[in-house]
Amino acid sequence: QVQLVESGGGLVQAGGSLRLSCTASGSILKINVMGWYRQAPGKQRELVAQITSGGTTNYADSLKGRFTASGDFVKNAMYLQMNSLKPEDTAVYYCKGNILTTRKIEYQYWGQGTQVTVSS
């Protein structure tokens, strides 16, 4: 069993910053990929950023320059620094991991999400 838990969401004014954290625990052999996604009301879930254990990071084009993702694959943790936040960044933010478990099978796991609300 593997759990991903996000933290760090909240209410912030436009132009402000937030830092999200995600920690994975449980029957983990290795995390291969970690990602941040978000889902705004009435919209589909979308990719924010993705990090591989090999060190590659990809961002949604619209978020480059404002959001920075980082990962600690030893601590099984991932972070998302969000700067210059805009009201349209309001969403539930989820972390996802492609995780090789102790059963030596890779599964995708999702966290429960953390709400980010940006007021104008």
Side-chain angles (χ1 to χ4, degrees):
Q1 194 78 347
V2 172
Q3 298 82 35
L4 274 68
V5 178
E6 304 98 335
S7 62
L11 174 64
V12 64
Q13 288 188 334
S17 298
L18 280 175
R19 185 174 188 255
L20 305 183
S21 299
C22 173
T23 302
S25 62
S27 305
I28 299 170
L29 268 184
K30 181 186 176 187
I31 298 180
N32 292 317
V33 181
M34 291 193 284
W36 286 103
Y37 290 74
R38 68 183 185 181
Q39 187 166 19
K43 295 188 177 181
Q44 289 189 331
R45 192 171 298 188
E46 63 177 358
L47 174 69
V48 173
Q50 180 171 282
I51 310 171
T52 71
S53 59
T56 301
T57 305
N58 295 306
Y59 295 92
D61 288 341
S62 62
L63 301 176
K64 288 179 181 177
R66 293 195 300 122
F67 288 17
T68 303
S70 58
D72 186 332
F73 286 83
V74 174
K75 295 183 178 179
N76 293 334
M78 177 174 56
Y79 310 96
L80 184 67
Q81 178 67 41
M82 305 184 293
N83 298 327
S84 302
L85 283 162
K86 304 175 181 180
E88 51 264 41
D89 294 319
T90 295
V92 178
Y93 285 71
Y94 299 89
C95 66
K96 188 190 83 170
N98 293 12
I99 298 174
L100 182 66
T101 68
T102 53
R103 296 176 62 191
K104 298 187 179 178
I105 301 173
E106 182 177 292
Y107 295 101
Q108 286 186 359
Y109 293 92
W110 290 87
Q112 82 288 349
T114 186
Q115 177 70 46
V116 171
T117 303
V118 184
S119 62
S120 57

